Amino acid sequence: MYGLVLEGGGAKGSYHIGVYKALMEEGIDIGGVVGTSIGALNGAMIVQGDYDKCYELWSRISYSMVIDVDDREIEKLMELRPIRENFPFIKEKIKSFIGDKGFDITPLKALLEEYIDEEKIRSSHMEFGIVTINLSEFKPLYIFLEDIPEGELTHYLLASAYLPFFKSERIRGKRYLDGGFYDNLPYRMLLNKGYKDLILIRTHAKGITRRIRLPGKTSIVISPSEYLGRTVEYDSRRARSNIRMGYYDGLRALRGLKGDRYYIEPKGDEQFFLNILLNLSKSQITQIRDILRLHEGYYMRTLFEDIVPKIYSMLSLDKTKNYEDLLIYLLEKKAEKCNINKYEIYSFEELVELVKTQKILKERDEISTFDRIIEKVDIIPIFGKEEIILEIADIIFS
């Protein structure tokens, strides 16, 4: 049974929901959930068993659902470039939104009352804990559900997510601060409860994150493969995109899918990938050798002694990576340039066929003149590493 840890991160928290969908589909048994800030809020909805309700909330999220503002005004402000000419206007706008005492979070309070069902959470089989900072007593607060008084859960959830620019107010007579300022990834709460195997869902948002030391051999850390947007970007389109990314990143971690940009089923057959290299023609190897400005030699020996190590170096790949990792990296570069849909699970062969049938979205006139240029100059500095890697991928997967 796993413990689930949700890192804080404001609007980035939409990513949690996609990962949790993958956990449910893969039948992962969760025994306890802890979180900080938005991780605490999402964690509460996970514990109460309302994934669909949580997804519905995130899929229509807006600024006005969190703070008392006009969404159109906020969106216009967010679109402004942070250049000196815009600073006076931005400053005045922010001042008008915040007022004299901070953002009014009445909408966030209403949201918690509408979406959090304390009775369901207390009757759940899952343990639940959160982190906040008690400013009145100058101490961090790690607290589990059983230590929260009946009827007080939403107040503690609000305390875990209480940011400095919110309108200052007391919660049951005390002041609190977002738990991310002390421990944004509170996995030790579950370790102290006796959990050995954890699933940590990262957002990489700003905050204090303790050094991760996981004792369980099956503990899993799931991190976003792309930028999640800004912490305060409460935009429904961005949220839906993050949910989708979280879902596929979750499947990658749980199923052991290969790839950094795409999601590729592992073959578990190193000979298959070695054969791809062995089956390259003398002409293909010569083309790659010339692009990399390597010395002539017996073509197959050049491939394994010079070309492959050079590509590893260019890609900054760990030399412990195998031929499968190398060829998938090259294939992903070409697939990305071909604008092939990222969010699907492919076999290696399926993705190869797709890149063969798609037109690469770039001009290739200059690249077709390699032979003339190579005689005069070093091509790598002129075209850049990305162009060289793409050309090599073209030759291998042509």
Side-chain angles (χ1 to χ4, degrees):
M1 186 175 292
Y2 283 89
L4 180 63
V5 186
L6 306 177
E7 187 170 30
K12 297 173 185 278
S14 51
Y15 182 78
H16 297 153
I17 306 309
V19 176
Y20 188 65
K21 179 184 178 183
L23 295 178
M24 290 191 298
E25 288 189 1
E26 295 299 298
I28 304 299
D29 190 11
I30 303 296
V33 180
V34 295
T36 300
S37 191
I38 194 62
L41 273 59
N42 282 337
M45 297 194 70
I46 287 172
V47 171
Q48 74 186 39
D50 277 336
Y51 167 81
D52 290 336
K53 195 173 182 180
C54 193
Y55 175 84
E56 180 268 333
L57 168 61
W58 276 108
S59 65
R60 65 181 185 88
I61 197 71
S62 65
Y63 297 98
S64 62
M65 293 170 69
V66 180
I67 53 178
D68 188 14
V69 294
D70 184 306
D71 286 316
R72 290 171 296 181
E73 289 294 316
I74 287 286
E75 288 167 3
K76 288 178 183 178
L77 183 64
M78 299 295 279
E79 290 173 359
L80 287 175
R81 294 175 60 198
I83 57 176
R84 181 175 297 178
E85 290 78 3
N86 289 333
F87 284 167
F89 177 77
I90 293 173
K91 181 179 178 181
E92 286 303 312
K93 274 294 182 182
I94 292 177
K95 185 177 179 180
S96 70
F97 292 140
I98 296 178
D100 296 328
K101 298 181 179 180
F103 281 109
D104 182 349
I105 58 170
T106 299
L108 177 57
K109 295 177 185 177
L111 209 63
L112 291 176
E113 292 298 329
E114 178 182 357
Y115 282 88
I116 299 301
D117 189 326
E118 183 171 341
E119 184 178 343
K120 278 188 178 180
I121 294 172
R122 290 191 181 278
S123 62
S124 171
H125 71 281
M126 297 184 196
E127 297 183 276
F128 179 54
I130 67 172
V131 182
T132 185
I133 301 173
N134 186 331
L135 290 179
S136 297
E137 300 176 7
F138 299 102
K139 67 178 184 180
L141 182 61
Y142 294 93
I143 188 166
F144 279 92
L145 182 63
E146 58 265 27
D147 299 315
I148 297 175
E150 294 273 351
E152 298 288 313
L153 179 57
T154 56
H155 299 302
Y156 279 85
L157 292 175
L158 184 61
S160 182
Y162 214 93
L163 292 168
F165 50 78
F166 288 170
K167 185 178 292 185
S168 179
E169 57 184 271
R170 294 178 185 273
I171 300 175
R172 292 298 184 261
K174 297 179 180 180
R175 298 188 186 278
Y176 292 90
L177 180 65
D178 189 301
F181 288 95
Y182 185 77
D183 191 348
N184 210 27
L185 191 69
Y187 70 94
R188 287 185 178 87
M189 292 181 72
L190 291 177
L191 292 182
N192 293 336
K193 279 275 188 177
Y195 286 83
K196 299 297 183 183
D197 300 319
L198 305 180
I199 297 174
L200 281 63
I201 306 180
R202 303 297 310 273
T203 62
H204 296 300
K206 291 182 179 179
I208 304 299
T209 301
R210 310 291 169 174
R211 184 175 179 181
I212 299 175
R213 292 175 176 170
L214 300 174
K217 294 181 179 179
T218 52
S219 292
I220 301 168
V221 179
I222 302 175
S223 296
S225 54
E226 292 185 3
Y227 179 55
L228 291 176
R230 291 165 290 194
T231 302
V232 295
E233 192 174 350
Y234 289 99
D235 177 82
S236 59
R237 289 167 297 183
R238 169 69 78 173
R240 288 192 292 270
S241 174
N242 288 347
I243 291 171
R244 183 170 61 169
M245 187 197 312
Y247 173 68
Y248 279 93
D249 286 352
L251 291 180
R252 173 188 282 139
L254 298 171
R255 296 183 184 178
L257 301 178
K258 294 285 188 175
D260 294 319
R261 299 167 181 81
Y262 288 80
Y263 305 88
I264 303 170
E265 295 172 341
K267 288 190 71 69
D269 182 1
E270 182 69 0
Q271 188 63 44
F272 172 86
F273 295 96
L274 175 59
N275 287 340
I276 291 176
L277 296 174
L278 290 173
N279 289 329
L280 290 175
S281 68
K282 183 176 181 179
S283 173
Q284 287 173 301
I285 294 173
T286 300
Q287 289 179 65
I288 297 173
R289 183 203 66 196
D290 290 345
I291 290 170
L292 295 175
R293 297 287 287 155
L294 298 171
H295 296 296
E296 290 187 24
Y298 174 64
Y299 74 97
M300 196 55 70
R301 184 172 179 176
T302 295
L303 174 63
F304 290 100
E305 292 186 1
D306 299 319
I307 291 176
V308 170
K310 179 68 173 180
I311 296 174
Y312 267 94
S313 176
M314 290 180 66
L315 300 181
S316 299
L317 286 178
D318 187 334
K319 290 185 178 180
T320 61
K321 296 288 186 180
N322 56 30
Y323 294 133
E324 179 178 17
D325 297 317
L326 175 63
L327 289 169
I328 283 178
Y329 189 101
L330 293 172
L331 180 60
E332 285 187 299
K333 296 295 288 185
K334 185 167 182 180
E336 192 172 40
K337 202 68 178 179
C338 291
N339 203 30
I340 291 172
N341 175 39
K342 171 182 176 180
Y343 292 112
E344 190 169 328
I345 296 176
Y346 299 99
S347 69
F348 182 84
E349 294 90 337
E350 286 171 341
L351 196 52
V352 169
E353 287 305 311
L354 279 174
V355 299
K356 285 182 176 180
T357 57
Q358 295 291 325
K359 181 179 179 180
I360 293 180
L361 304 177
K362 74 169 189 173
E363 292 296 328
R364 298 177 55 80
D365 293 340
E366 292 183 358
I367 294 180
S368 65
T369 63
F370 267 125
D371 290 338
R372 286 188 290 106
I373 299 174
I374 286 172
E375 293 176 359
K376 300 179 181 180
V377 296
D378 186 346
I379 194 167
I380 294 181
I382 285 185
F383 286 96
K385 185 173 71 173
E386 288 295 313
E387 288 81 1
I388 297 302
I389 292 302
L390 181 60
E391 181 66 16
I392 292 171
D394 286 345
I395 293 169
I396 292 176
F397 299 112
S398 60

